[in-house]
Each structure stands twice: as C-alpha cells, then as structure tokens.
Amino acid sequence: MRIVVINHVTLDGVMQGPGRSDEDTRDGFTHGGWAAERGGDEAVTRAWGRRLSASSGYLLGRRTYQDVLGHWNTQDSPFRDALNNAPKYVASHTLTEPLPWPHSTLIGGDVPAAVAELKKAPGNDLHIMGSGALIRSLSPLGLIDAYLLCIHPIVLGSGRRLFADGFSPTDFDAADVTTTVSGVIIAEYRPRPGTGTGVGVG
C-alpha cells in the first residue's frame, strides 16, 4: 500500500483548520474555515471522491481522528457512515483501546516502524488527512509516497504549515495538475528519490 497525504493548503503552506472556525485554534489561530468557500468546488469534490472511494482506509493522528470522527458522527451526513465503515489506523501515544469508533486500530510505540509494516500489505492507498504531526514524523523516513494537495488562492500569514521550518530541501515531481473554476489547484506531488531526507526541526 502507498501512503498518500490528501489535504487542503494555502499558498503560504498553511494546513491548519481548513474546514471550520473552531476546528483547530492552537497557537491562537483565528483563520479557521479558510477552505470552506472553495472546498465544495465540484472539481475538488470529484478529486477527493475518486481517491477516497478507492482507498484502503485512513492513517490518522490522534487529534484528526478525534476531531473528524467526532464532528461527522454528530451530523446527518453520508460522510459519517463512510468514515465509520472504513479501516482507520490511529497513531497515538495517549489513546487506549478500545477506540470509540468502529474499524479503528491503534498504532502506538514505534509509529514509523508500524507504518512501514502497513506499507508491505497488499491493497490500495492509505490516506492521511490533516494529521500534521504524523506527516512530519513519516516524511523524513521516506514513508509518504505522494501528496494530493488542493492549493487555495489565499495567504494567511500564520498557522501550522504542511512542511515546517527546517524541512530538508526535497524535489517533487508533479502529476495530474488541475486548476478549478474557484482557483484551487489540485495536484499530486511525489518526492523525488535522493533529493533530501526531509528532516525537520519544527
């Protein structure tokens, strides 16, 4: 299985709190919900739907798992059943089993080693949504195979970014680049082997 990040980001690389004003207010972040206006773009919806419908499940950090499942399980929405029925691998050193939602498997201890084992299993892509800390722990080890990013035409000037300061210079190859009517650029980026470790200090 490949590990594929699928996230919304701004032009200045911020990934924090795209969906709702109260989604993630850490560090005094006040721009939550910045992707909501364009996130419903038909092309964006198709791109996410196409990928997630062929997914082998989700690989999530604790915060994203609790927020995403907690939110959609209070809503009358088709996303609720889809999320609950999908396999979910949750990386956390603080959660304990049993996890609150069905088809959830806790990954504790050496998370990168466990993810490396997951990648050996047959199947389609495992998708990471949100989960910035998890992404930053896996990227330096070459465990993320691709990034499907919806890049929004907005600069926030603050917020937690996909790649933190100190990330090692790394080249990426782009594929399937699409510009939507709302100005969102949808593109898959794949790390080019041998161009950097991606080790960050943020």
Side-chain angles (χ1 to χ4, degrees), residues 12 16 23 28 37 51 76-77 84 86-87 95 106 119 122 137 150 154 156 163 185 189 191 199:
D12 51 341
Q16 186 173 0
E23 183 177 2
E37 178 182 346
R51 293 304 186 96
D76 184 16
S77 165
N84 282 329
L95 293 178
L106 180 63
K119 285 170 60 70
S137 73
C150 294
I154 183 174
L156 297 180
F163 299 109
I185 295 174
Y189 295 95
V199 175

Side-chain angles (χ1 to χ4, degrees), residues 15-18 20-29 59-71 89-95 99-101 106 129-134 136 160:
M15 59 173 286
Q16 186 173 0
R20 309 187 312 276
S21 60
D22 62 345
E23 183 177 2
D24 185 353
T25 59
R26 285 177 294 175
D27 306 322
F29 186 69
L59 176 61
L60 303 170
R62 174 197 60 80
R63 184 181 182 91
T64 298
Y65 173 75
Q66 291 178 318
D67 179 77
V68 170
L69 274 294
H71 173 72
Y89 301 92
V90 185
S92 174
H93 294 132
T94 58
L95 293 178
L99 295 176
W101 290 289
L106 180 63
M129 296 189 298
S131 307
L134 177 61
R136 287 187 286 275
R160 297 188 176 216

Side-chain angles (χ1 to χ4, degrees), residues 135-146:
I135 293 169
R136 287 187 286 275
S137 73
L138 300 180
S139 292
L141 303 175
L143 292 173
I144 295 179
D145 298 286

Side-chain angles (χ1 to χ4, degrees), residues 18-19 33-41 152 154 182 184:
W34 52 266
E37 178 182 346
R38 292 168 295 271
D41 185 303
H152 291 244
I154 183 174
S182 64
V184 175

